[in-house]
Amino acid sequence: MEQYIVQETLASRSLAASQKGISLACVGKLLAPLLLNVPGLMAVHLYPHLTNTATVFPKLVSDVLPPAIAGFIAAIVFGGALSTFNAGLNSLGTLFVVNLYQPWLEHRHKPFHEKKVVKAGRLFQLLVIIWAVCFSPFIMYFSGGFYNYLQKASSFFSVPVFTIMAVGFVTKRTPPIAAKAGLLFFVVSYVLTQFVFTTSLHYLHVLAILFVITVAGMLLIGRLYPMPRPFQLQTTTTINVQPWKNRYWYFGALLIAMILMFVLFSPLGLAA
């Protein structure tokens, strides 16, 4: 999800518009726990003997809403699933073409044109669809439910990429090899802790520990082998790069709202 949010943001007509768009996306992300967690908390009290957590939302909808509204909700969920799947598929195709296929062709000194690149991207998307169809039935055997699986699976890539971005924001002399080493270490370590070794830690705690270790390792590499020149962002004059005037107020409000959301679902709030 974060990938195609970033893609839409980078396609903005100006820097201020992109900052406003990402702020609006953050508001939507803050509303997600209310849509996902609150029905679960209600189901704990309404259906104490329910074993399959995947049936919580459909059961709530069928028991609470009239049939006409229940059908409307089903159509919304189906449409949201299709739009999310299509957006994610387009993002995967873009990542494959831009970061893997085109650099591979350039490295091999092979000629390529737009039609060839688009065809390769669509073929990759088709392979992803086939893999998803074959793999999806096995999700029902994943302990913790579909949402827990989704969070664990997305953490393989989203948290390592966020770690690299965080280091890139605070330092300008860390070399590219630090990002590559940090990404490789984070992904391999996370796979080992989740599938090879048995740990008593929650996967979110594992992610937090790996985040600190990876950041420290990247900063150490940057200290030992710094770039000869600090990184300078190359800007173009085709778009307006004037930042949003009120960005700090809105970003601060979003951070406060995120903290309050954690408090709401903590033992100090609804979990008390």
Side-chain angles (χ1 to χ4, degrees):
M1 181 178 292
E2 289 78 7
Q3 169 60 28
Y4 50 80
I5 290 176
V6 171
Q7 282 188 345
E8 294 292 336
T9 303
L10 294 177
S12 302
R13 66 177 182 270
S14 64
L15 177 59
S18 67
Q19 292 172 333
K20 294 176 182 178
I22 204 70
S23 300
L24 182 60
C26 290
V27 173
K29 297 285 283 186
L30 287 174
L31 295 177
L34 298 177
L35 302 176
L36 296 172
N37 295 11
V38 172
L41 294 174
M42 295 168 58
V44 169
H45 300 282
L46 293 176
Y47 316 112
H49 304 293
L50 192 65
T51 57
N52 188 0
T53 57
T55 61
V56 168
F57 184 74
K59 190 167 182 60
L60 277 174
V61 170
S62 62
D63 290 348
V64 174
L65 299 178
I69 304 299
F72 181 68
I73 295 297
I76 291 176
V77 172
F78 183 71
L82 283 181
S83 62
T84 303
F85 178 76
N86 291 334
L89 200 62
N90 290 332
S91 297
L92 282 174
T94 303
L95 287 172
F96 170 75
V97 168
V98 174
N99 296 322
L100 294 176
Y101 187 64
Q102 281 190 192
W104 179 76
L105 291 177
E106 293 175 355
H107 180 72
R108 299 289 297 272
H109 302 289
K110 290 186 176 182
F112 63 92
H113 47 81
E114 183 178 354
K115 184 178 294 186
K116 182 178 181 179
V117 171
V118 171
K119 183 179 179 181
R122 290 178 178 175
L123 180 60
F124 177 76
Q125 291 174 342
L126 179 61
L127 295 176
V128 170
I129 293 174
I130 296 174
W131 164 252
V133 171
C134 295
F135 179 76
S136 58
F138 298 97
I139 297 177
M140 64 183 297
Y141 301 106
F142 190 83
S143 60
F146 176 73
Y147 179 75
N148 201 30
Y149 159 77
L150 193 64
Q151 296 302 310
K152 275 192 173 183
S154 63
S155 298
F156 278 100
F157 306 101
S158 60
V159 181
V161 171
F162 170 76
T163 304
I164 295 173
M165 291 179 59
V167 175
F169 279 131
V170 299
T171 178
K172 295 184 178 181
R173 288 189 176 272
T174 302
I177 189 63
K180 297 176 183 178
L183 182 64
L184 181 63
F185 168 78
F186 200 117
V187 173
V188 172
S189 300
Y190 186 64
V191 170
L192 292 177
T193 56
Q194 298 303 309
F195 298 105
V196 179
F197 303 110
T198 302
T199 61
S200 58
L201 298 175
H202 192 271
Y203 76 94
L204 291 178
H205 296 157
V206 174
L207 290 172
I209 294 172
L210 290 178
F211 173 80
V212 174
I213 296 175
T214 305
V215 168
M218 292 178 62
L219 293 177
L220 179 61
I221 294 176
R223 185 66 179 270
L224 297 176
Y225 307 100
M227 296 174 60
R229 296 180 181 178
F231 173 77
Q232 294 290 336
L233 181 63
Q234 300 294 329
T235 59
T236 63
T237 58
T238 57
I239 62 172
N240 184 8
V241 293
Q242 184 69 26
W244 184 19
K245 182 176 64 174
N246 299 322
R247 62 191 183 279
Y248 294 118
W249 292 102
Y250 283 90
F251 295 165
L254 287 172
L255 289 174
I256 294 174
M258 181 184 66
I259 295 173
L260 293 177
M261 191 68 68
F262 276 102
V263 174
L264 177 64
F265 291 102
S266 70
L268 299 176
L270 297 178

